[in-house]
Amino acid sequence: MSARHEPGLSIETVAESGVEPPPPGRLGPVAVVLGWANRAMLLIGMVALVLAAFILTYSVFSRYVFKAATDWQDEAAVFCIVGAVFLCGAYVQAGRGHIGIEALASILPPSVNRVRVVVVDAVSLLFCAFFAWKSWTLWHEAWVDKMTTSSTWAPPLAIPYGLMSVGMTLLTLQLLLQLVAHFVARPTRR
């Protein structure tokens, strides 16, 4: 099943197929801008994963071949992975690629499934909004107090908290866009 945006799909089709229609009216430009941001974060996430793989490979190689200390590599790789995971969350949500309970979608009547999709989006939005808010408070605390990790390298904790905050904020905006689209979408005629 394709997760691309296809014009002319109704909310009923979304509930049945999981394919997200483009938001109508004034939401369209918002969706375009958020789509650009999501694709930019995807590129950053891809680079971060490649960088993490390189760092971890170098760490193993230098530890066993050169017997060199590798106290910074683990934290650098973790920061890259944290960034990739959180920054790419909104991109995945835009295509409804997060884990869903497809067994329910296949056995529920379309009208009940539409309600289920809206309720899941609303609950997900509330959770992600709370998570984003707490992430920003953690980032602010780490920034103001100049908190660092406990290693000898001691990078600032504002880095992973900032990545987490930006990623969760984008995910919250994506969920908000999708939730609002449920209520402003005009069903298409078949």
Side-chain angles (χ1 to χ4, degrees):
M1 184 103 358
S2 172
R4 312 185 335 251
H5 294 285
E6 296 180 23
L9 293 178
S10 67
I11 295 299
E12 291 83 9
T13 308
V14 171
E16 293 167 6
S17 70
V19 176
E20 190 74 16
R26 294 181 185 174
L27 292 181
V30 174
V32 168
V33 170
L34 193 55
W36 288 339
N38 290 342
R39 283 187 294 281
M41 295 303 112
L42 179 67
L43 290 173
I44 292 169
M46 288 189 287
V47 169
L49 284 179
V50 170
L51 188 59
F54 175 75
I55 290 169
L56 290 173
T57 303
Y58 171 77
S59 174
V60 170
F61 185 77
S62 68
R63 225 179 316 173
Y64 292 106
V65 174
F66 299 122
K67 308 291 188 224
T70 58
D71 57 344
W72 64 271
Q73 286 95 337
D74 290 339
E75 283 181 339
V78 167
F79 283 15
C80 289
I81 293 168
V82 164
V85 168
F86 281 99
L87 293 177
C88 294
Y91 177 84
V92 173
Q93 178 60 35
R96 297 238 178 230
H98 287 292
I99 296 173
I101 304 172
E102 292 301 317
L104 282 179
S106 65
I107 62 172
L108 291 175
S111 59
V112 175
N113 199 40
R114 281 191 301 276
V115 172
R116 179 193 65 83
V117 170
V118 171
V119 169
V120 167
D121 282 354
V123 171
S124 298
L125 173 64
L126 290 174
F127 173 79
C128 289
F130 177 76
F131 197 121
W133 171 64
K134 290 306 285 180
S135 297
W136 282 112
T137 60
L138 281 172
W139 173 82
H140 182 262
E141 184 179 327
W143 181 265
V144 168
D145 295 341
K146 298 184 183 350
M147 298 168 81
T148 62
T149 64
S150 59
S151 72
T152 55
W153 182 39
L157 281 172
I159 295 170
Y161 291 160
L163 294 169
M164 190 168 59
S165 301
V166 169
M168 288 308 294
T169 300
L170 286 171
L171 180 55
T172 300
L173 291 173
Q174 182 65 48
L175 284 163
L176 179 62
L177 177 70
Q178 289 174 329
L179 184 64
V180 170
H182 289 301
F183 298 105
V184 298
R186 295 179 241 32
T188 58
R189 296 174 199 238
R190 292 185 189 196

